[in-house]
């Protein structure tokens, strides 16, 4: 028996969405989108990580230009891509879980109302809980490799040394913080994206554009949603980075590993401005990253929808 298609709850032309896909198609579309997004924006993520993991690490200034200069001086251009292998291993499976869970939950929570912002936000939270469980270990490896003067030779070396020195639990030291950060991030991101996408589509004067959501619509809505969500959640992202990089490259080690402990340490050392370290590269990352991710994801969904429609026609004839 063929895999059951997810139902299409979208009524009317104004609510046209690329639904009616197989579950595995959502997973592939999400996986491709996540890989493209993270590979394209990885250098910006490296800059953000080094700025947030300051402590007594090599970079003492929290400016983007000085961070870039420090990375290029110590490791050259390849320093911007340290840890990309770990992200390549984690981004695909994590985004497959991310988007497939989101699509399934959106259909269940919306109950036929495609304009339900609460359903979009709740679905985003469910999606991030699932995806973070997959991505967090590789994200920790990635961030340790991104540090200036990182002591690790590569992904395998980092994984084996962390297991020996800190145990398996170290890979999930930041999971709670990551979920607490990504839950509001994703809720705001998905709600803002769906609202912006629908608004941009409805103001179009062309029926063709109304039916066929364009690359510009997806990219613009994604960029706006990504930048907005990134700005609001920067403090928790700083905490996450500190937890993942603790004890490495001279960075602070936290006895309790609690979010409150990290917050107090950052405020004591750098004041409240320390909680906003890396906000600029974080926004510079998430705005284009979200634009790339959403436009790639929607394009992949369109491809699968056309494929399914073609298969259906063949089956009928």
């Amino acid at each position: 028996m063929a895999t059951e298609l997810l139902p299409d709850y979208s009524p009317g032309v104004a609510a046209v969405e690329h639904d009616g896909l197989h579950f595995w198609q959502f997973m592939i579309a999400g996986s491709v989108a996540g890989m493209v997004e993270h590979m394209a924006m990885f250098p910006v993520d490296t800059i953000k990580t080094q700025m947030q993991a300051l402590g007594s690490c090599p970079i003492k200034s929290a400016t983007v230009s000085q961070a870039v200069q420090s990375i290029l001086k110590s490791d050259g251009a390849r320093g911007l891509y340290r840890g990309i292998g770990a992200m390549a291993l984690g981004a695909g499976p994590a985004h497959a879980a991310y988007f497939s869970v989101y699509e399934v939950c959106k259909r269940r929570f919306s109950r036929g109302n495609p304009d339900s912002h609460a359903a979009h936000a709740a679905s985003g939270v469910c999606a991030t809980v699932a995806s973070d469980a997959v991505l967090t270990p590789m994200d920790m490896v990635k961030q340790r490799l991104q540090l200036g003067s990182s002591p690790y030779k590569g992904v395998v070396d980092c994984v084996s040394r962390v297991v020996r020195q800190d145990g398996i639990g170290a890979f999930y030291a930041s999971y709670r913080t990551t979920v607490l950060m990504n839950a509001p991030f994703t809720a705001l991101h998905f709600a803002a994206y769906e609202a912006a996408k629908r608004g941009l589509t409805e103001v179009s004067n062309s029926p063709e554009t109304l039916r066929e959501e364009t690359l510009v619509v997806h990219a613009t809505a994604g960029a706006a949603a990504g930048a907005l969500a990134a700005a609001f959640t920067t403090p928790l992202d700083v905490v996450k980075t500190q937890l993942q990089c603790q004890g490495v490259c001279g960075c602070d080690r936290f006895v309790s590993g609690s979010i409150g402990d990290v917050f107090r340490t950052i405020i004591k050392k750098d004041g409240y401005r320390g909680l906003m370290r890396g906000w600029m590269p974080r926004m510079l990352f998430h705005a284009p990253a979200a634009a790339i991710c959403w436009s790639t994801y929607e394009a992949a969904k369109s491809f699968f929808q056309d494929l399914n429609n073609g298969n259906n026609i063949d089956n009928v004839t």
Side-chain angles (χ1 to χ4, degrees), residues 221-242:
L228 179 65
F232 274 95
T233 56
T234 293
L236 283 169
D237 190 51
V238 174
V239 173
K240 184 202 75 168
T241 299
Q242 293 273 343

Side-chain angles (χ1 to χ4, degrees), residues 151-162 164:
Y152 307 107
K153 297 178 182 179
V155 175
V156 176
D157 179 52
C158 182
V159 171
S160 60
R161 289 174 62 177
V162 169
R164 288 199 309 268

Side-chain angles (χ1 to χ4, degrees), residues 170-295:
F171 291 101
Y172 282 93
S174 69
Y175 179 67
R176 181 175 55 180
T177 305
T178 301
V179 171
L180 287 175
M181 174 188 71
N182 283 340
F185 175 91
T186 310
L188 180 59
H189 186 160
F190 275 101
Y193 172 75
E194 296 284 359
K197 182 180 71 171
R198 194 168 303 282
L200 289 170
T201 301
E202 289 177 351
V203 298
S204 171
N205 294 321
S206 168
E208 291 78 13
T209 304
L210 194 62
R211 268 197 170 280
E212 203 63 42
E213 293 170 350
T214 65
L215 176 66
V216 174
V217 168
H218 297 142
T220 303
L228 179 65
F232 274 95
T233 56
T234 293
L236 283 169
D237 190 51
V238 174
V239 173
K240 184 202 75 168
T241 299
Q242 293 273 343
L243 283 171
Q244 290 184 330
C245 298
Q246 60 180 315
V248 181
C249 187
C251 294
D252 296 319
R253 182 176 287 278
F254 304 96
V255 178
S256 68
S258 69
I259 297 173
D261 183 25
V262 180
F263 265 116
R264 286 189 292 271
T265 301
I266 294 172
I267 293 172
K268 181 178 180 180
K269 293 179 64 175
D270 300 316
Y272 287 97
R273 68 177 183 177
L275 295 173
M276 292 302 295
R277 268 185 181 158
W279 70 269
M280 184 177 294
R282 179 166 164 79
M283 289 186 67
L284 290 175
F285 174 89
H286 280 286
I292 293 170
C293 186
W294 278 111
S295 55

Side-chain angles (χ1 to χ4, degrees), residues 120-189:
H120 298 151
S123 300
V125 172
C126 293
T128 199
V129 171
S131 66
D132 286 342
V134 179
L135 185 61
T136 296
M138 282 296 102
D139 188 49
M140 184 273 280
V141 173
K142 181 262 304 180
Q143 290 204 305
R144 290 194 177 203
L145 290 171
Q146 284 177 319
L147 294 176
S149 303
S150 174
Y152 307 107
K153 297 178 182 179
V155 175
V156 176
D157 179 52
C158 182
V159 171
S160 60
R161 289 174 62 177
V162 169
V163 171
R164 288 199 309 268
Q165 296 170 6
D166 302 311
I168 298 296
F171 291 101
Y172 282 93
S174 69
Y175 179 67
R176 181 175 55 180
T177 305
T178 301
V179 171
L180 287 175
M181 174 188 71
N182 283 340
F185 175 91
T186 310
L188 180 59
H189 186 160

